[in-house]
Each structure stands twice: as C-alpha cells, then as structure tokens.
Amino acid sequence: MSAPPRLQGLLAPVVTPFQPDMLPDADRFARHCQWLLDSGCAGLAIFGTNSEANSLSATEKIELMGKLVADGIPGARLMPGTGACSVPEASQLTAAAVKHGAAGVLMLPPFFYKGVPDEGLFRYYSQVIENVGDSALRVYLYHIPPVSQVPISLPLIERLIKAYPDTVVGLKDSSGDWNYSKSVIDAFASTGFDVFPASETLLLRGLRAGGKGCITATGNINPGPISQLYANWQGPDAEALQQKVTQTRELVQKYPMIPALKAVISYFMQDPAWRAVRPPLVEMPGEQEAELIGKLEELGFDMPGVR
C-alpha cells in the first residue's frame, strides 16, 4: 500500500462525544467529523489531546477509526494520535491507522517516565516503526512538553529523519514556544519535514516561515475562518483574517479548553449530550458556559451548517 498525499492546512484534533453511559458516541463523532471536513478542515487529528485520547482505550480508538471509515470518512483525511506509554499499544494503534489508509499518525513520546534520554525516545519510535513494518506509514512527532514533560529535541528529530527519511515526516508543536517551532522549520523544512504549530494564532507566522498549517483545538468550532486564512495567507487580507481567528482563539482559551469546546458545540448544535466529558475532566459550569457563549456571540461567532 502506498502512502496517501500528505495533509496540509487546518487539521482539527476532534473532540470525542460520549453517551450517557460514558461510552464513545460513534454516530455523533462521525457527524462532527463530516461537518469539519465540509467546513474546510484538510484533515482530522482524531485521538489528540483535545479528543480526550488518554481517557480512551486502544480498543475504543480502533473501533472509532473503523466507524469513521465505514461511514465514508476517507482514511486519507485522518491523522490519528497513536502515541502511548508502551511500545505494544503504540504499535497496535499505529498499525490500525495504516490499515485504514491514514495519511499519517501523530505520535506522542512515551510520557509517564520523565527525564528520559533521547536514546530511549529514539528506541521507542524506532521499535514502533519497525513493528508496524509498512512503507505506507508516515509519523508526525507530537511535541507537547507542557503536558507530557517529555520534550522532543532537535538532535532527536535529526536522528529519526536520518534513520527513517520516508517515515518520520513532520511534527506538531504544542509547546506554545514560537522559537521552538521556528527552529524546527529552519533546521528541517528544506528536507521536506512538515511543521504544524498547535494554535491558529501562529498560523500566518508559521506559513510565512515555511510551516504547513496548524493542528488546533479551536478547529473543532471555527474551521471556516481558520481554513480561509490558510487559503489566503499570501493575500492582502491575511493580517485581518489572522486577527479575526486570533480573537476567537484567545477568548476560548481563557476557559478549560475541552469542556469549553464541548459547551460551544452543544450550544450551537442544540444538543446537550455534547457537554459530557470523561473523568477526571468535568463539564463546564453553567455560569462559565453562559459567559463564554455571550462573548462569542458579541464577536458574531457562529458554526454555520452544524445543525
């Protein structure tokens, strides 16, 4: 099997809906994924941080992947998160993603043990790649040190690219540190290594530096304007488009992100079931939700076509 074309532009780390029994709601999940694609997302980074991925079992993730593909979501539009603390689980998830024709996988480092050397991280990624053993596999490293406390260094990236030049092809940077994003772009973009900042607030700056788009939480609720910025980043309105999406992002990120995203989706879909989160997270308090929705409506925010 050959690898699908690489994804560029806006990718959404799709939030995961739950049923009253707290099992994943596969039907709502598929409908939201389709709306995101219809609204301008180039791809779907399912099982990312904002998907509550580490509150889902490997079995649940594999079943949800299969459901999406069965419902007509192209595998080539998927970039599932497949990183895990253990090599066997990461290998299992990664192999399932390749089987479904995913454009790539977004792979966290093993995040339980802290202070591990680059040698250990290299062995982890190497063993997963070798276990999957498929030339169609494309790995995007997931750098999120504020959460994982396990950073991905430039020497590690360089070593992985040299060892697996056709497999290790990009990185999502959730550090919030533009200097890190820029250093990775400067060091590796010329080799074909794709860098995605994790916030649309950096989208225009990233594209101008040589990045390939963004993988952003608020892509779940604001895909149209963000994808419009990507499509017109070289145009005369780029700065104004950037300011508009930045305004929305900066408002939403003042609140706990995952409950806030679900509250917004719930409101605009008129579907209270969307508010549910898995423990240890809790739903957004009603007064916070009302405040956020009110401020969004003051900005003229909407989710067209979501109902």
Side-chain angles (χ1 to χ4, degrees), residues 125-163:
Y125 284 111
S126 177
Q127 286 183 25
V128 173
I129 292 167
E130 297 293 344
N131 286 349
V132 174
D134 194 314
S135 62
L137 172 61
R138 298 290 178 267
V139 172
Y140 294 78
L141 308 173
Y142 188 3
H143 177 68
I144 183 170
V147 176
S148 70
Q149 299 295 305
V150 181
I152 296 174
S153 70
L154 267 67
L156 174 62
I157 296 170
E158 182 176 20
R159 186 177 175 190
L160 285 167
I161 291 172
K162 286 182 177 179

Side-chain angles (χ1 to χ4, degrees), residues 65-107:
M65 259 194 283
K67 167 68 173 175
L68 290 185
V69 173
D71 281 5
I73 301 293
R77 304 289 290 277
L78 300 178
M79 189 187 289
T82 64
C85 286
S86 75
V87 168
E89 183 174 340
S91 301
Q92 178 189 21
L93 289 167
T94 302
V98 173
K99 176 184 174 182
H100 287 301
V105 299
L106 189 59
M107 196 178 298

Side-chain angles (χ1 to χ4, degrees), residues 168-186:
V168 179
V169 298
L171 175 140
K172 177 187 178 183
D173 178 21
S174 292
S175 67
D177 178 1
W178 166 247
N179 291 328
Y180 176 86
S181 296
K182 181 68 161 51
S183 68
V184 178
I185 292 170
D186 289 346

Side-chain angles (χ1 to χ4, degrees), residues 231-253:
N232 295 280
W233 71 273
Q234 293 176 301
D237 298 329
E239 293 288 352
L241 294 170
Q242 178 65 78
Q243 184 178 10
K244 182 179 178 183
V245 301
T246 295
Q247 190 176 31
T248 301
R249 170 69 186 222
E250 289 182 343
L251 171 57
V252 176
Q253 70 184 18

